[in-house]
Amino acid sequence: TYLLSNDPSVEERVRQRGRNNEYVFTHTKKRNISDVKRVEIERQIDVTKYVQLLMRADPTRRQIVKTRYCIMENDLIYELDVFSSEEWNGKALLEIELSHEDAPFTLPDWVDKEQAHEVTFDKAYTNAALAMIPGKGPQTEGCDKVPHN
């Protein structure tokens, strides 16, 4: 859930992860350093703090529901997010954790290269943009490019 922030250069969110009534709660603050590099400060919080921070939920953004799969291959960590949110049901994004911005990489064999599209520099594919409710609040540049079925 994205939060209203006092600093427009900082993106804030809270997240609940887990299953079977066993959850971990986190509070995250992100600041862009470049088009592909961000500083992210994430801390674990308790359920009381989580509920308290939810009071600052951004009303122009919806909650994103997804399942994340972390896959280690070729000495890299791939994070595959499969969405179950209404707008993006069944679609997926793959993020690769690189040691530095210019690190070389190749897509794993299990990625359908015919269907894959590079979206690193497309702001419409950030989680913050995907959470934006159409017609509410300021639109992130490129939001109109997000496919809707």
Side-chain angles (χ1 to χ4, degrees):
T1 302
Y2 284 88
L3 305 176
L4 295 171
S5 177
N6 295 333
D7 183 347
S9 69
V10 175
E11 181 182 288
E12 264 187 272
R13 71 166 187 245
V14 289
R15 182 176 278 170
Q16 172 184 319
R17 286 183 169 168
R19 61 179 162 215
N20 301 328
N21 291 322
E22 292 186 29
Y23 297 102
V24 173
F25 303 92
T26 56
H27 178 213
T28 304
K29 292 182 180 184
K30 292 183 181 184
R31 183 184 308 268
N32 288 343
I33 301 301
S34 71
D35 285 340
V36 294
K37 191 177 195 179
R38 302 173 89 180
V39 171
E40 183 173 313
I41 300 169
E42 185 171 85
R43 64 185 175 100
Q44 191 168 333
I45 57 176
D46 62 28
V47 68
T48 303
K49 183 67 174 176
Y50 174 77
V51 171
Q52 180 184 22
L53 287 168
L54 279 178
M55 301 311 243
R56 292 183 27 225
D58 185 341
T60 66
R61 298 178 196 268
R62 66 181 142 242
Q63 187 176 39
I64 295 176
V65 181
K66 63 186 177 184
T67 301
R68 173 167 286 172
Y69 300 93
C70 296
I71 304 151
M72 288 202 59
E73 190 173 315
N74 303 322
D75 295 324
L76 294 171
I77 298 172
Y78 298 88
E79 294 177 349
L80 178 64
D81 291 341
V82 180
F83 295 87
S84 51
S85 301
E86 181 181 331
E87 294 284 327
W88 267 67
N89 192 24
K91 293 182 173 64
L93 285 175
L94 179 67
E95 182 177 330
I96 304 169
E97 296 293 330
L98 300 173
S99 57
H100 56 87
E101 290 180 48
D102 300 324
F105 69 92
T106 56
L107 291 175
D109 292 338
W110 47 265
V111 172
D112 181 350
K113 277 74 168 181
E114 296 292 318
Q115 295 293 317
H117 303 283
E118 172 62 65
V119 295
T120 298
F121 300 103
D122 192 337
K123 292 182 187 332
Y125 290 90
T126 65
N127 279 323
L130 296 175
M132 186 64 69
I133 298 170
K136 289 202 174 195
Q139 291 292 310
T140 302
E141 180 182 326
C143 268
D144 57 337
K145 295 186 224 167
V146 175
H148 295 281
N149 291 340

